[in-house]
């Protein structure tokens, strides 16, 4: 199968250049200048940008949270991802207590059958002991080279000592571990205080987890990583205070990777007061405009490494579990389809970043760190033919009803996006054309190499 993309603006690290691109079977074979070669399909990309397929570093599909399970499973979540230009998702396989890492890996492989975009796993660990540590080489053999630990959630929380040990042990393997940074003890006390005062509405979710709760977690992570001599990766950074602490860690020579999410760039705390405020209950919570501005500025300076969605969708009926007590609301929001259009609108059109930086934030840096570069994350001869044709002049309004995820709400409902993904090539096959999915179920497992620690 040969696909020829004509008249595109090719977005590459060195700049944006008008030219053509040819894929042959599963790879990019040529790009740049005019290409006149026979092809099975010719795409006229006049006026559009061509990016390497986007990589979403943070999804939670088919995740059981207490007695409820996310609205999106892998088939529905990856269809939405694909339509938004995401050709690879890295989902968090979760090792529940008492499970082996291999059990969790197999369970997630089973869940991921029928994916419409490519997929890999980070391994979220809830235990750290000899038996689990002994499984790490097996994870690496199976292409799982990144891990996660939580400072919160009773079923997942691990101590700072464990985080320190895990960073040290995994660094020896060139694996990284992402940490959900919040101070659980303070959150619990504040939740008790708020509930005792009858403050049970969704807005109190944010008040129970103020900026300093995240900053404290980021600070503890930075110190643990400093002492361990390994990399620190903050998942879903949301605050200026956390960013400042990470900056100081970099200044003292630390290897720090920072992920943020679209919700922390365009949504804000006041939204909890809406009648459907429960849909914004996620952790970390929505913040202020000043926090958004700090994160956007940090994208301008290259301090933010990549943007994942933290897609963790629940229906309004599921969210209603917290109608009399915000702390019972399942945490998370839907966003896997909307990442590129929001980042383009807010950050590129907003003047914070240019198109090569958008490619870095949505694809290239994730591919590098998570052991997929240059097969993924690059427009290079020989790279995988995972490609996005993005139309910058396609104004539209985001609605849950027109999103493809299986969730009746969207935190971005009503957001006016300036452009959108038009066509997607996945593994050399035209999978989305003019905003319509042509092929589902073509996603393949990405067995990743060890991490490419580009900030080491
Ligand atoms: O609220 C969120 N983000 N839920 C998903 C799990 C996590 O904390 O990443
Ligand atoms: Zn988290």
């Amino acid at each position: 199968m040969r696909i020829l993309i004509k008249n595109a603006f090719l977005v590459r690290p060195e700049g944006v250049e008008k030219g053509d691109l040819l894929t042959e079977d599963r790879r990019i074979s040529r790009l740049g200048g005019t290409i006149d070669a026979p092809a099975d399909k010719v795409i006229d990309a006049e006026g559009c940008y061509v990016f390497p397929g986007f990589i979403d570093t943070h999804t939670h599909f088919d995740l059981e949270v207490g007695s409820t399970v996310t609205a999106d499973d892998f088939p529905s979540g990856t269809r939405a991802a694909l339509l938004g230009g995401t050709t690879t998702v890295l989902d968090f396989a979760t090792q529940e207590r008492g499970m082996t890492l291999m059990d969790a890996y197999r369970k997630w492989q089973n869940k991921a059958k029928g994916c419409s975009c490519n997929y890999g796993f980070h391994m979220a660990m809830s235990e750290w002991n000899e038996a689990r540590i002994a499984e790490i080489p097996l994870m690496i053999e199976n292409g799982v080279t990144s891990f996660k630990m939580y400072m919160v959630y009773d079923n997942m929380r691990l101590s700072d000592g464990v985080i320190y040990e895990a960073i040290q042990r995994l660094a020896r393997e060139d694996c990284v571990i992402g940490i959900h940074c919040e101070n659980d003890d303070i959150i619990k006390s504040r939740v008790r205080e708020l509930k005792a005062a009858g403050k049970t509405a969704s807005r109190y979710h944010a008040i129970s987890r103020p900026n300093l709760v995240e900053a404290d977690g980021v600070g503890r992570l930075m110190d643990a990583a400093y002492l361990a001599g390994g990399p620190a990766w903050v998942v879903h950074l949301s605050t200026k205070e956390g960013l400042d602490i990470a900056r100081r860690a970099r200044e003292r020579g630390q290897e720090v990777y920072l992920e943020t999410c679209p919700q922390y760039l365009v949504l804000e705390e006041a939204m909890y007061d809406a009648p459907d405020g429960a849909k914004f209950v996620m952790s970390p919570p929505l913040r202020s405009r000043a926090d958004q501005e700090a994160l956007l500025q940090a994208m301008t300076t290259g301090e933010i490494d990549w943007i994942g969605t933290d897609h963790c969708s629940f229906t309004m009926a599921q969210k209603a579990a917290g109608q009399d007590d915000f702390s019972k609301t399942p945490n998370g929001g839907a966003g896997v389809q909307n990442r590129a259009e929001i980042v383009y609108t807010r950050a590129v059109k907003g003047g914070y970043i240019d198109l090569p930086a958008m490619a870095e934030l949505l694809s290239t840096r994730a591919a590098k760190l998570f052991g997929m570069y240059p097969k993924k994350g690059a427009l290079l001869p020989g790279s995988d033919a995972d490609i996005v044709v993005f139309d910058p002049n396609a104004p539209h309004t985001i609605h849950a009803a027109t999103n493809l995820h299986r969730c009746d709400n969207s935190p971005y409902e009503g957001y006016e996006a300036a452009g959108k993904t038009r066509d997607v090539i996945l593994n050399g096959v035209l999978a989305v054309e003019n905003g319509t999915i042509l092929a589902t179920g073509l996603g393949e497992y990405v067995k990743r190499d060890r991490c490419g620690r580009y900030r080491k």
Side-chain angles (χ1 to χ4, degrees):
M1 174 85 164
R2 290 155 71 101
I3 303 177
L4 179 58
I5 303 177
K6 296 286 292 177
N7 309 313
F9 290 107
L10 304 172
V11 182
R12 306 180 73 189
E14 54 277 17
V16 181
E17 179 197 315
K18 187 119 201 203
D20 303 342
L21 183 151
L22 181 69
T23 70
E24 285 186 65
D25 300 324
R26 302 172 57 92
R27 309 267 173 266
I28 296 173
S29 59
R30 289 169 59 193
L31 75 163
T34 302
I35 302 173
D36 286 314
D40 303 291
K41 174 82 189 173
V42 178
I43 297 173
D44 183 0
E46 185 71 49
C48 292
Y49 301 123
V50 166
F51 289 96
F54 300 135
I55 297 168
D56 191 338
T57 52
H58 196 141
T59 65
H60 299 279
F61 297 139
D62 204 349
L63 181 71
E64 293 148 54
V65 179
S67 57
T68 188
V69 60
T70 51
D72 280 299
D73 55 16
F74 276 85
S76 71
T78 56
R79 275 197 303 274
L82 183 72
L83 197 55
T86 291
T87 51
T88 303
V89 295
L90 297 180
D91 197 84
F92 289 93
T94 300
Q95 177 257 332
E96 291 157 33
R97 293 191 176 133
M99 238 185 191
T100 66
L101 299 184
M102 206 54 204
D103 287 339
Y105 171 78
R106 287 200 198 98
K107 185 172 173 182
W108 249 257
Q109 281 289 10
N110 209 36
K111 284 173 187 272
K113 289 193 176 124
C115 272
S116 289
C117 72
N118 298 324
Y119 60 96
F121 306 126
H122 311 286
M123 182 57 65
M125 297 180 70
S126 62
E127 291 169 324
W128 182 256
N129 54 38
E130 288 309 314
R132 297 294 80 78
I133 295 166
E135 285 189 279
I136 289 168
L138 196 56
M139 288 297 103
I140 297 170
E141 247 172 65
N142 281 285
V144 177
T145 55
S146 48
F147 296 77
K148 182 183 188 183
M149 285 181 180
Y150 292 84
M151 291 180 175
V152 291
Y153 305 137
D154 287 340
N155 60 331
M156 294 300 294
R157 177 180 168 177
L158 289 167
S159 70
D160 294 358
V162 159
I163 289 170
Y164 162 86
E165 285 178 33
I167 293 170
Q168 196 171 53
R169 175 70 185 80
L170 290 166
R172 293 211 300 267
E173 307 283 355
D174 273 333
C175 290
V176 294
I177 177 157
I179 307 294
H180 177 130
C181 296
E182 286 186 302
N183 185 314
D184 198 41
D185 293 337
I186 293 179
I187 294 168
K188 285 202 172 96
S189 294
R190 288 176 72 86
V191 168
R192 270 197 300 274
E193 266 167 31
L194 288 162
K195 289 203 311 199
K199 295 177 172 172
T200 56
S202 296
R203 67 192 301 263
Y204 296 107
H205 170 72
I207 291 168
S208 72
R209 310 171 100 102
N211 287 26
L212 290 184
V213 157
E214 178 178 86
D216 170 79
V218 174
R220 283 185 286 127
L221 167 60
M222 293 306 146
D223 289 346
Y226 183 74
L227 295 170
W233 159 27
V234 182
V235 298
H236 50 48
L237 179 72
S238 65
T239 60
K240 177 178 181 319
E241 289 83 349
L243 174 65
D244 285 341
I245 290 169
R247 266 187 189 133
R248 287 203 290 278
R250 280 182 177 151
E251 278 161 20
R252 71 181 175 189
Q254 283 187 248
E255 179 189 350
V256 174
Y257 300 95
L258 298 176
E259 171 194 81
T260 191
C261 310
Q263 55 268 37
Y264 306 119
L265 305 176
V266 299
L267 305 178
E268 55 191 282
E269 198 176 333
M271 293 175 169
Y272 287 108
D273 291 326
D276 58 354
K279 72 183 180 184
F280 303 112
V281 172
M282 56 185 75
S283 296
L286 305 183
R287 305 295 187 184
S288 68
R289 288 205 180 195
D291 292 297
Q292 291 178 8
E293 186 60 30
L295 294 169
L296 285 158
Q297 290 294 349
M299 285 161 58
T300 306
T301 52
E303 293 166 286
I304 298 291
D305 289 274
W306 62 82
I307 297 172
T309 57
D310 198 5
H311 181 99
C312 189
S313 62
F314 295 100
T315 63
M316 289 317 289
Q318 291 175 305
K319 289 278 187 182
Q323 66 188 3
D324 300 320
D325 175 354
F326 67 85
S327 69
K328 295 201 165 59
T329 314
N331 274 217
V336 76
Q337 187 174 323
N338 309 118
R339 183 174 57 127
E341 58 200 16
I342 291 172
V343 169
Y344 175 72
T345 307
R346 181 73 163 119
V348 178
K349 292 282 279 187
Y352 292 94
I353 58 170
D354 59 14
L355 292 161
M358 176 168 158
E360 290 277 336
L361 284 160
L362 297 186
S363 182
T364 310
R365 293 222 194 98
K368 284 184 176 162
L369 185 69
F370 296 117
M372 296 180 278
Y373 189 85
K375 284 189 195 146
K376 304 205 183 290
L379 293 182
L380 288 171
S383 292
D384 290 354
D386 287 350
I387 294 163
V388 173
V389 179
F390 189 89
D391 183 351
N393 296 306
H396 64 287
T397 308
I398 295 177
H399 293 298
T402 48
N403 267 344
L404 215 55
H405 57 57
R406 192 192 294 143
C407 182
D408 58 2
N409 65 84
S410 164
Y412 305 110
E413 185 69 37
Y415 185 83
E416 304 282 348
K420 71 191 305 189
T421 295
R422 196 189 78 175
D423 312 308
V424 182
I425 298 173
L426 180 79
N427 302 329
V429 174
L430 183 61
V432 175
E433 186 173 33
N434 278 325
T436 299
I437 296 209
L438 302 182
T440 56
L442 297 184
E444 294 175 2
Y445 178 62
V446 185
K447 193 170 166 196
R448 295 181 289 117
D449 295 333
R450 284 167 204 260
C451 294
R453 294 166 54 188
Y454 60 85
R455 287 194 186 271
K456 198 171 172 180

